Amino acid sequence: MAFSVGARHGILASKCWLFHALPGTLSPHIIAIQRSAEIQTLRGSSHSNTDSQHNEAYCIDLVRKRDYDGFVCSLLSPEVSRRSSLALRAFNVELAQVKDSVSQKTIGLMRMQFWKATIEEIYRDDAPLQPVSTELWKAVKQHGLTKRWLLRIITEREKDMEDRAYRNLQELEAYSENTQSSLLYLLLESLGVKNVHADHAASHIGKAQGIVTCLRAVPYHSSRRKVYLPMDVCMLHGASQEDFIRGSREQNVRDVTYDIASQAHVHLEHARSFSKNVPASAAPAFLQTVHTHACRTHTVNSAAVRPSSHYTIGSSSSSSPVWFLHLFPLVAPLT
């Protein structure tokens, strides 16, 4: 009896050994399950790749349509940071267009709260299934982006929902620092640049970009009977909001434009003073400075000349002045 049981256990042990050694021979059902699992894995991987491509394409299209200058600059970024650059700029576009895309301030504030919650979820590795947030999550994971800069952009955009003119030039500079400069800090991080001189340059360049963008936005805002130029500068030269809405060409309006644009020039000069100490790897983050300088020069020259004067823009000249309201298309700039 003991022999019989021992033999039986031996046979069972042999069968178990064969089962593990030759599963294809003994259990085709298990093979089918394994193959099904492999197919599902491949399908899941393919679906994930499709979603990733869709998210990237969404960000590219959004930036190309709403921030073309930034889109071109992102294309010139190194391949390792290009996708992250587009994700950051798409995030900036999403926030910038809230103010003009909602009919009520409350709705705009709700969208800002959504993005605040989204940033918190991104840093918990639980990003919402939304193209921009997913791409931003990847950028954060890849480059270790600082959460403070992302939240600062949202907070400042949220304050801007008040929809009023800047009280003074310093208020406009603070807004530009918290939005444009913060974006530049993030772009530097995506490039792997950690340099105090680059940060100082980014601070001044961001302020210059914000000031110039405020001027570029005058035609669009005036068409909606709104003026956001610093009130202290307007009061200094006796220019009213109605003067800008009417497109006045009086000297007081030109003086306001000149003073504001000149402040952008001051910041560009400060940024240029750091150029010798800024690493070359930071250059892609500052490419948009070229456009900022061109717009600043164009605006200052147009505001400063008399009707019979000539003015020079870069290497080209013009035989008649063009009022700065006509320099930029009647579209909403990315303020």
Side-chain angles (χ1 to χ4, degrees):
M1 181 67 178
F3 173 80
S4 175
V5 171
R8 189 175 301 159
H9 280 268
I11 291 172
L12 289 174
S14 299
K15 286 184 177 180
C16 288
W17 179 83
L18 287 171
F19 175 79
H20 290 294
L22 300 171
T25 304
L26 298 177
S27 185
H29 176 65
I30 292 179
I31 291 295
I33 293 175
Q34 289 176 339
R35 288 179 178 173
S36 176
E38 290 173 358
I39 291 171
Q40 291 297 327
T41 300
L42 289 172
R43 286 177 178 174
S45 176
S46 175
H47 181 69
S48 177
N49 289 336
T50 301
D51 285 346
S52 179
Q53 292 172 0
H54 166 74
N55 294 338
E56 183 181 19
Y58 178 91
C59 290
I60 290 173
D61 189 56
L62 179 63
V63 177
R64 180 173 55 232
K65 288 180 178 178
R66 294 289 287 113
D67 181 18
Y68 190 76
D69 300 334
F71 168 72
V72 173
C73 292
S74 292
L75 294 183
L76 297 174
S77 296
E79 186 175 357
V80 68
S81 63
R82 188 176 303 143
R83 187 165 181 171
S84 297
S85 173
L86 287 164
L88 287 167
R89 294 186 187 279
F91 166 71
N92 190 47
V93 169
E94 285 279 2
L95 296 175
Q97 64 185 6
V98 169
K99 185 175 178 179
D100 287 336
S101 63
V102 297
S103 57
Q104 297 179 10
K105 176 184 172 181
T106 305
I107 299 174
L109 293 175
M110 289 172 62
R111 289 180 63 176
M112 293 300 179
Q113 286 301 315
F114 163 79
W115 279 109
K116 281 186 177 179
T118 295
I119 296 301
E120 297 296 340
E121 291 170 352
I122 283 174
Y123 281 85
R124 290 197 300 264
D125 286 337
D126 188 27
L129 295 179
Q130 193 262 5
V132 175
S133 61
T134 301
E135 288 296 293
L136 191 59
W137 170 76
K138 291 179 180 179
V140 168
K141 294 290 288 182
Q142 182 180 357
H143 305 288
L145 303 179
T146 302
K147 179 167 73 170
R148 178 161 56 101
W149 303 135
L150 294 167
L151 290 175
R152 192 162 81 154
I153 296 174
I154 300 173
T155 301
E156 194 64 31
R157 298 284 189 191
E158 189 177 38
K159 285 194 238 176
D160 194 48
M161 294 296 296
E162 294 295 332
D163 198 29
R164 60 174 178 78
Y166 299 104
R167 287 191 290 263
N168 49 55
L169 198 51
Q170 289 72 32
E171 194 173 84
L172 172 56
E173 289 176 319
Y175 173 79
S176 303
E177 164 68 29
N178 292 333
T179 54
Q180 302 289 351
S181 297
S182 294
L183 178 61
L184 290 177
Y185 299 149
L186 290 164
L187 290 173
L188 286 173
E189 289 184 345
S190 73
L191 292 165
V193 176
K194 295 182 179 180
N195 180 278
V196 65
H197 300 293
D199 289 342
H200 282 312
S203 176
H204 287 291
I205 290 172
K207 290 173 183 174
Q209 287 180 348
I211 293 170
V212 168
T213 302
C214 183
L215 287 172
R216 293 179 66 193
V218 169
Y220 172 75
H221 291 146
S222 295
S223 69
R224 307 175 73 195
R225 298 195 61 80
K226 294 180 179 181
V227 178
Y228 297 106
L229 296 176
M231 291 187 289
D232 64 334
V233 182
C234 294
M235 291 173 63
L236 177 65
H237 297 289
S240 66
Q241 291 190 351
E242 194 63 31
D243 290 333
F244 289 94
I245 292 172
R246 294 199 316 268
S248 170
R249 305 185 184 210
E250 297 300 320
Q251 189 60 39
N252 60 341
V253 174
R254 294 171 180 265
D255 289 340
V256 169
T257 307
Y258 183 88
D259 282 0
I260 295 174
S262 294
Q263 187 64 18
H265 174 72
V266 169
H267 285 295
L268 288 177
E269 289 300 311
H270 277 306
R272 189 175 288 114
S273 70
F274 296 102
S275 60
K276 292 182 180 179
N277 299 311
V278 174
S281 56
F286 300 146
L287 287 175
Q288 209 164 343
T289 308
V290 176
H291 183 260
T292 300
H293 176 73
C295 288
R296 197 280 315 172
T297 304
H298 204 165
T299 304
V300 167
N301 288 338
S302 298
V305 296
R306 295 293 186 270
S308 59
S309 302
H310 289 53
Y311 67 98
T312 303
I313 305 171
S315 59
S316 61
S317 61
S318 173
S319 59
S320 61
V322 181
W323 171 228
F324 86 100
L325 293 182
H326 303 145
L327 302 180
F328 311 113
L330 198 63
V331 295
L334 194 65
T335 54

